[in-house]
Amino acid sequence: MGFGTKLAIFCRRLKSASLRRLNQNIQTIHQQTGKNRLYLLADMLWCTFRYGVGYLDYHVFGFAENRGANRKTFMTMNHNVALARMVNDPAYYDLLNDKVKFLGRYVDFLGRAWLDLRRATPEALAAFCREHPVVFAKPAGDFGGRGVERLAPGPEADYAALYHRLTENRQVLVEEAIVQHPEMSRLCSESVNTLRVVTLLRDGEANIVYALLRMGSGQGHVDNISSGGLYTWVDPQGKLPYPAFCDKTGLYYHRHPATGTVFSQFTVPDFPAAVALCCKAALVEPKLGYVGWDVAITPNGPILVEGNNLPGYDMPQNAKFHPDGQGLLPVFQALLGRPIPRA
């Protein structure tokens, strides 16, 4: 990447930076490492220019204590975008971004009923809720857990009014509530705690790049990291060898803060089946070669919750998950069979 391109990326990052969050990150890293704040600021700016790494990634990647050649092994936002452009056809993004289209295309992997209010009546909604007493209402095209609402309206509810409210709020997708495996509820019973399994296609074969476990904090009904949830690395045996991290608090947890479940003593049930499910789903649409699958573990086995055409690059590279200080760029490139440029 030439000097001019690096400078342009550097300027864009500076323009979009939040000084408050920048200062918070510097303060947190200072408390964790004891390193001088001015040094940390200067090093952050250098990493933004040299590697395309913003101050949030600098913190999560542990760059304050990870120098030299190791820094070049980290997947950046620009690498992530470039990879998606290389193997994903934008014409097919709606299959993942529109939840209703996703449910229609990947119906064999769902294990639950759903209703599209744009094609249903208030009477159909009432019948659906009578059959499924607990449901979740969602926008069809949003992400990060925004607009997700748990409903248990009961037989006496005013379904005409509920239908009007949901459609006015664009919560047009109503899904049967997922009942998760009792072992997964030990982590957090307030939310469905999902796996994020990332697949990369090469020569018609699906490869697993990494798997993470996401769980609610106990304060809501979703496990999304943007909503205060926690996440941790899952090893090939389905075990959790590292503490979980919470973006909202910036802290690591060896046990769940609400339930007390010790992560190092936990094994994800049916993990091999979840991996196999994602590899099979990855072959449904070969034009989408890089996908992050969200998987729930139920008493009857794993099911798909949704797919993401631009999986996160930051969470799987959390410094605590890589004691050797290495990022995942070499792993991605080895599976892909070619270099990944910075977009």
Side-chain angles (χ1 to χ4, degrees):
M1 182 180 294
F3 177 83
T5 303
K6 287 183 179 180
L7 184 60
I9 293 173
F10 177 76
C11 292
R12 285 201 303 270
R13 289 286 175 84
L14 284 184
K15 186 176 180 180
S16 63
S18 163
L19 294 180
R20 180 181 62 83
R21 294 203 68 184
L22 171 64
N23 184 60
Q24 286 177 344
N25 271 266
I26 290 175
Q27 182 62 25
T28 300
I29 299 170
H30 165 71
Q31 292 173 348
Q32 292 173 345
T33 67
K35 292 185 180 293
N36 180 274
R37 295 178 183 86
L38 287 177
Y39 164 81
L40 291 172
L41 174 60
D43 197 40
M44 282 182 180
L45 293 174
W46 164 246
C47 287
T48 299
F49 177 76
R50 176 65 179 83
Y51 305 107
V53 170
Y55 58 85
L56 296 176
D57 290 344
Y58 181 95
H59 181 196
V60 173
F61 296 170
F63 268 24
E65 297 184 297
N66 193 0
R67 306 186 61 80
N70 274 353
R71 290 179 168 183
K72 295 180 181 179
T73 67
F74 279 79
M75 188 95 163
T76 68
M77 178 175 65
N78 297 310
H79 287 117
N80 204 41
V81 171
L83 174 58
R85 288 175 178 170
M86 291 167 71
V87 300
N88 286 346
D89 186 339
Y92 291 80
Y93 280 177
D94 255 7
L95 290 179
L96 302 179
N97 294 339
D98 186 310
K99 291 180 172 60
V100 174
K101 291 182 179 179
F102 172 81
L103 294 172
R105 188 73 170 93
Y106 295 90
V107 64
D108 295 337
F109 305 88
L110 302 179
R112 64 191 181 280
W114 54 278
L115 186 69
D116 182 359
L117 296 185
R118 295 170 297 188
R119 295 172 175 81
T121 63
E123 292 75 21
L125 175 62
F128 187 85
C129 291
R130 281 195 293 270
E131 185 176 358
H132 309 289
V134 180
V135 299
F136 279 83
K138 307 175 181 179
D142 221 327
F143 59 92
R146 291 196 296 265
V148 176
E149 182 179 357
R150 183 182 185 275
L151 300 170
E156 306 303 321
D158 183 342
Y159 282 98
L162 178 61
Y163 177 91
H164 178 73
R165 178 174 72 81
L166 293 178
T167 53
E168 283 289 303
N169 291 341
R170 299 185 299 109
Q171 295 167 291
V172 296
L173 175 60
V174 179
E175 291 185 67
E176 173 190 2
I178 295 171
V179 178
Q180 70 180 344
H181 194 290
E183 187 68 4
M184 299 299 286
S185 290
R186 280 208 309 119
L187 291 167
C188 180
S189 61
E190 296 300 312
S191 61
V192 176
N193 309 303
T194 59
L195 291 167
R196 165 62 62 87
V197 180
V198 172
T199 57
L200 187 62
L201 291 181
R202 179 183 176 187
D203 298 329
E205 181 181 352
N207 299 282
I208 301 297
V209 187
Y210 65 83
L212 298 173
L213 177 63
R214 306 180 308 173
M215 65 207 89
S217 64
Q219 303 300 312
H221 296 297
V222 295
D223 65 350
N224 301 81
I225 306 310
S226 58
S227 301
L230 296 83
Y231 67 90
T232 191
W233 184 267
V234 184
D235 74 11
Q237 288 73 46
K239 296 184 180 296
L240 313 180
Y242 305 112
F245 183 71
C246 176
D247 274 346
K248 182 167 283 189
T249 64
L251 300 175
Y252 291 93
Y253 299 85
H254 290 276
R255 60 177 66 227
H256 194 282
T259 64
T261 300
V262 178
F263 298 129
S264 63
Q265 299 174 5
F266 188 87
T267 301
V268 177
D270 289 331
F271 183 70
V275 169
L277 179 81
C278 294
C279 288
K280 189 175 179 181
L283 299 177
V284 168
E285 185 42 72
K287 294 290 187 179
L288 295 169
Y290 176 41
V291 179
W293 306 100
D294 292 343
V295 181
I297 308 297
T298 78
N300 298 316
I303 61 173
L304 288 187
V305 178
E306 63 183 29
N308 302 269
N309 62 271
L310 189 65
Y313 65 93
D314 50 349
M315 294 190 299
Q317 297 185 114
N318 191 298
K320 288 289 185 183
F321 308 157
H322 303 281
D324 62 357
Q326 296 281 310
L328 289 180
L329 183 58
V331 174
F332 274 95
Q333 293 184 146
L335 291 174
L336 186 64
R338 50 183 163 149
I340 302 172
R342 280 198 283 174

